[in-house]
Amino acid sequence: MPRHARPTVVLVHGAFADASSFARVIPELTAAGMDVVAPAVPNRSLVDDAAYIASVVRAVEGPVILVGHSYGGAVITLAGTEDNVRALVYLAGYALEEGESLGELQGRFPDSGLADALVHTPFPVAGSTETGTDVSVEIEKFPTLFAADVDPDLAAVLAVSQRPLAARAFSEAAPVAAWKTKPSWGLVASSDRTINPDVERYGYERAGMTTIEVDSSHLVMLAQPKAVAELIQDAVRATAHRPDHPRSND
């Protein structure tokens, strides 16, 4: 495949994690000859985070396969409307409907164990006398909830280096849903204790995605990197000759 036609895989991490959560997937993709970008998501606001990732996507020359884990799924639901996005891949992620928030989607199903392990911390907001609120996971509970099948030493490091998500991101409604016009794939982490797996299944089914289930914790990219890489490669192969402009699924 000519280099200009080869898609770049853009990996979007979720809340309480960073781009290093793709550390075991990236070598799988690059070994398969793929170009990869793994940006840092600000984790400040759904709309603003999506705008930032959209700017990263626009800077890529050629087509993009946009991959989102967890909260990153909500981010790619917005950012995926960029013209050069060829496909979306959701990893244990939130596939929001237009006009829906994370809280609304999550609220349709019983809470996961995460609900009782969240820590809320105020942070200063530039130019305002009011404070924002950061949400993170109790360090002691993080390994069990987030990374039960990841090496314990690594899980302990992830617990103390997690990146919080601003609380406002949970209540912002998605202004668009890119899966309506872009082919999409979804991975359900069936042993997920961070997001109820039924939240994942519901969003994927509603979007008409090609879906697989993997027996994994929430951090499926570290626990099952080959399965994740294979799903991304499936999306690449299936859309190899797709035009780089949106087209209705109808």
Side-chain angles (χ1 to χ4, degrees), residues 7 12 24-25 30 37 68 83 93 113 116-117 122 137 146 154 177 183 187 189 210 213 236 249:
V12 181
R24 296 189 67 195
V25 172
T30 55
V37 176
D83 287 350
D116 294 327
V137 182
F146 220 71
L154 176 56
L187 182 151
T210 300
E213 298 217 5
V236 171
N249 288 333

Side-chain angles (χ1 to χ4, degrees), residues 102-156:
L102 286 168
E104 289 170 340
L105 175 56
Q106 184 73 57
R108 291 190 172 96
F109 299 89
D111 286 337
S112 68
L114 181 69
D116 294 327
L118 295 178
V119 177
H120 297 82
T121 306
F123 66 87
V125 177
S128 174
T129 57
E130 298 183 357
T131 60
T133 301
D134 263 342
V135 181
S136 58
V137 182
E138 289 182 36
I139 291 173
E140 295 77 10
K141 295 181 179 179
F142 182 99
T144 299
L145 290 174
F146 220 71
D149 48 1
V150 173
D151 177 83
D153 290 338
L154 176 56

Side-chain angles (χ1 to χ4, degrees), residues 221-246:
M221 308 90 70
L222 289 171
Q224 299 284 349
K226 290 187 182 297
V228 170
E230 287 171 6
L231 184 64
I232 294 169
Q233 291 177 70
D234 285 346
V236 171
R237 287 188 291 266
T239 58
H241 303 292
R242 175 181 165 83
D244 297 329
H245 54 76

Side-chain angles (χ1 to χ4, degrees), residues 77-78 81 88 90 96-98 174-182:
T77 298
L78 279 61
T81 58
L88 307 172
Y90 291 77
L96 298 179
E97 172 62 280
E98 185 175 334
V176 294
W179 50 258
K180 291 179 179 289
T181 56
K182 305 294 174 77

